[in-house]
Amino acid sequence: NGGQLSAGRLHGYGLLHGCCGRPGEARAYLEAARDIYRELGYAPELARVARDLAALDDAPAAAEAPA
């Protein structure tokens, strides 16, 4: 399914940005993935994205690196 592949890519990009200290970009990608998974009704993946968004909220605030 194209939607699932897109959501998976967005989720991966979100995780990558989170690991690279860019929480704003991470959140945008993760929220986009969440919206697609919700629309498709993929509960397990939706739960994973929700967990990753919560981890962003729990992470210490760090200044974003200049682009």
Side-chain angles (χ1 to χ4, degrees), residues 6 21 26 43-44 49 51 65:
S6 294
V49 173
R51 180 196 65 219

Side-chain angles (χ1 to χ4, degrees), residues 3-67:
Q4 183 179 10
L5 290 174
S6 294
R9 244 187 326 271
L10 292 167
H11 190 182
Y13 289 152
L15 295 174
L16 176 65
H17 281 286
C19 289
C20 292
R22 295 186 294 264
E25 289 94 335
R27 177 168 304 287
Y29 281 113
L30 292 172
E31 288 175 349
R34 178 194 61 198
D35 293 344
I36 294 171
Y37 284 139
R38 183 179 293 140
E39 185 177 315
L40 295 172
Y42 290 170
E45 290 85 354
L46 188 56
R48 285 187 200 102
V49 173
R51 180 196 65 219
D52 294 333
L53 281 165
L56 269 181
D57 292 337
D58 293 340
E64 293 201 25

